[in-house]
Amino acid sequence: MTGFSDLQPAALQDRYLQVRAHTLALAEPLSAEDQCAQSMPDASPTKWHLAHTSWFFETVVLQPHAAGHRAHDPRYGALFNSYYETLGPRHPRPARGLLTRPSLPEVLAYRAAVDAAVLRFIADAPVEAWAAAAPLLELGLHHEQQHQELLQTDVLHLLSLNPLAPAAWPGTPAPVPAAPGGWLERPGGDAAVGHDGRGFAFDNETPRHAVRLQPHAIARRLVTNAEYQAFVDDGGYRRAGLWLSDGWAAVQAQGWTAPLHWRDDGAEFTLHGLQPRQAEAPVRHLSFYEAAAYAEWAGARLPTEFEWEAAAAAADPPAQCHGQVWQWTRSAYDPYPRYRPWAGAVGEYNGKFMVGQLVLRGSSSATPAGHARHSYRNFFPPAARWQYSGLRLARDL
């Protein structure tokens, strides 16, 4: 496998402990009932995230590389395998909320057992076993960080359906400072995109290659709640001419009138419960269709993923590239030239999803620290809106 950092055992052990502890910290304020429920087929229960990430380490790292390792419970494979055809049968994704057994305490015991086995392996692995397993162990950590973000958005969607509008976390969200507006003009020309080989990357970020960009401008900041409110007030959800055909069909079928989690009284449902909408904060929980319709209304367009990456890597980058919302692009999630998926079961991680999806760039407020980079390619189907997804405008020059 390529594109991995050269972490030594002690450093990887520290990272393992930090990442695994953060997942438990996210789940700790939630009740057992919160952690078992599933609000829609695209979301998963918190308890399933806790178990699946442990199954990944056990199945991908320990079973092939830790001599003498025995599965904690052989039945768990079918329950907590997500989409790996090569790793056996799977419980149907839309029915994960029906897995009341194993109980939450049993899942936490499973996590503890896997943690103990992984830490023993890191301490005692022979040189050859370590060389083979270390990249998979690091992949497992980034995989778990992806699930930390999914856990948060899945809980948010679940609790948004509760008439009590309960808060998942105590406290209030920090205010988002206003960012300067305007445009950054980009001359076009050749740009190198994709991961540069330093540190970790998923296989879909490779290989690095050159692309030709046309002259364009990209917005210095993300579209705000106040700006998107103007689109709503101007009848944006009632004007078919602003929408792609499938998007307009979704508006009609789903009854969309505003971003997901907006309330009519000016509040927004968050992990801290109902909160006043911050006018200058980036709008979030938009589908690609909503982002594209807003761009049409604003007399602009969405950037391509390569325009976004080149701008983010420039000496004078746009503001809010990372840490606020994932940003929809106008790029289909396709393989890069000469792309090859990883060997083995982890070859199913990205490549087989390269159809019918759009690329998002950046990262969000739910993205764990150290997980974002300019070459990261997130992807979702165009109607998905339960993630922390927003937009940045671009236009041709």
Side-chain angles (χ1 to χ4, degrees):
M1 298 176 73
T2 59
F4 288 80
S5 63
D6 187 22
L7 288 178
Q8 296 304 306
L12 202 49
Q13 174 182 288
D14 289 344
R15 286 238 320 126
Y16 182 87
L17 291 170
Q18 292 167 4
V19 169
R20 296 284 280 175
H22 183 58
T23 307
L24 291 179
L26 292 172
E28 193 277 332
L30 306 174
S31 69
E33 292 82 1
D34 292 334
Q35 296 193 46
C36 189
Q38 180 178 18
S39 59
M40 62 173 175
D42 285 340
S44 297
T46 294
K47 186 176 78 172
W48 188 90
H49 287 296
L50 295 173
H52 166 72
T53 49
S54 302
W55 167 88
F56 189 93
F57 283 113
E58 181 171 53
T59 305
V60 174
V61 176
L62 294 174
Q63 289 181 345
H65 301 291
H69 178 80
R70 298 180 62 182
H72 179 78
D73 189 325
R75 301 172 300 170
Y76 284 5
L79 299 183
F80 303 126
N81 181 358
S82 53
Y83 51 70
Y84 295 90
E85 300 287 348
T86 57
L87 295 178
R90 301 172 310 288
H91 185 77
R93 178 176 179 174
R96 289 171 182 169
L98 301 180
L99 296 175
T100 58
R101 306 290 177 90
S103 67
L104 179 58
E106 289 172 313
V107 166
L108 294 176
Y110 177 41
R111 281 185 70 89
V114 169
D115 287 347
V118 168
L119 293 174
R120 285 194 303 270
F121 175 75
I122 294 174
D124 302 333
V127 173
E128 288 187 3
W130 177 256
L136 296 169
L137 186 56
E138 189 172 8
L139 171 62
L141 294 175
H142 286 270
H143 166 260
E144 180 137 353
Q145 288 182 307
Q146 289 181 314
H147 279 272
Q148 289 168 355
E149 186 158 7
L150 288 168
L151 185 158
Q152 292 176 69
T153 52
D154 292 353
V155 168
L156 177 63
H157 188 268
L158 171 69
L159 296 183
S160 75
L161 303 179
N162 189 316
L164 300 178
W169 321 142
T172 58
V176 178
W183 299 85
L184 287 170
E185 294 192 352
R186 309 277 298 158
D190 289 338
V193 297
H195 190 252
D196 63 8
R198 293 178 292 182
F200 174 85
F202 292 112
D203 61 358
N204 64 358
E205 301 171 51
T206 64
R208 191 166 174 83
H209 62 288
V211 297
R212 173 60 61 90
L213 303 179
Q214 298 301 313
H216 64 279
I218 191 164
R220 290 184 178 272
R221 60 162 170 78
L222 302 170
V223 172
T224 67
N225 282 327
E227 290 167 333
Y228 200 87
Q229 182 68 62
F231 167 74
V232 174
D233 293 343
D234 196 40
Y237 284 85
R238 301 190 301 273
R239 295 165 58 181
L242 298 173
W243 295 78
L244 296 167
S245 177
D246 287 350
W248 184 244
V251 169
Q252 302 303 299
Q254 303 298 325
W256 294 350
T257 60
L260 184 66
H261 303 316
W262 277 24
R263 302 296 172 92
D264 291 341
D265 60 0
E268 178 179 9
F269 186 75
T270 75
L271 287 170
H272 301 280
L274 286 174
Q275 297 290 329
R277 240 177 3 252
Q278 299 180 39
E280 296 304 316
V283 63
R284 55 191 183 178
H285 301 299
L286 297 179
S287 66
F288 167 81
Y289 297 134
E290 290 164 292
Y294 177 89
E296 180 70 19
W297 174 81
R301 61 174 174 82
L302 300 179
T304 69
E305 64 167 317
F306 302 133
E307 290 171 342
W308 189 98
E309 184 174 338
D316 180 22
Q320 301 174 320
C321 285
H322 295 285
Q324 294 296 327
V325 294
W326 290 98
Q327 297 144 58
W328 288 106
T329 74
R330 201 57 175 85
S331 297
Y333 179 51
D334 288 328
Y336 285 169
R338 302 182 307 282
Y339 165 77
R340 291 292 181 272
W342 291 321
V346 293
E348 297 187 55
Y349 203 103
N350 285 307
K352 70 181 187 180
F353 300 110
M354 291 177 171
V355 62
Q357 317 243 23
L358 278 298
V359 173
L360 301 94
R361 289 303 194 104
S363 61
S364 82
S365 57
T367 305
H371 187 62
R373 56 195 166 273
H374 293 334
S375 61
Y376 199 120
R377 305 176 77 201
N378 204 348
F379 57 93
F380 281 100
R385 64 203 301 248
W386 91 106
Q387 292 299 314
Y388 287 100
S389 48
L391 78 150
R392 181 187 303 277
L393 296 175
R395 56 183 174 86
D396 298 322
L397 293 179

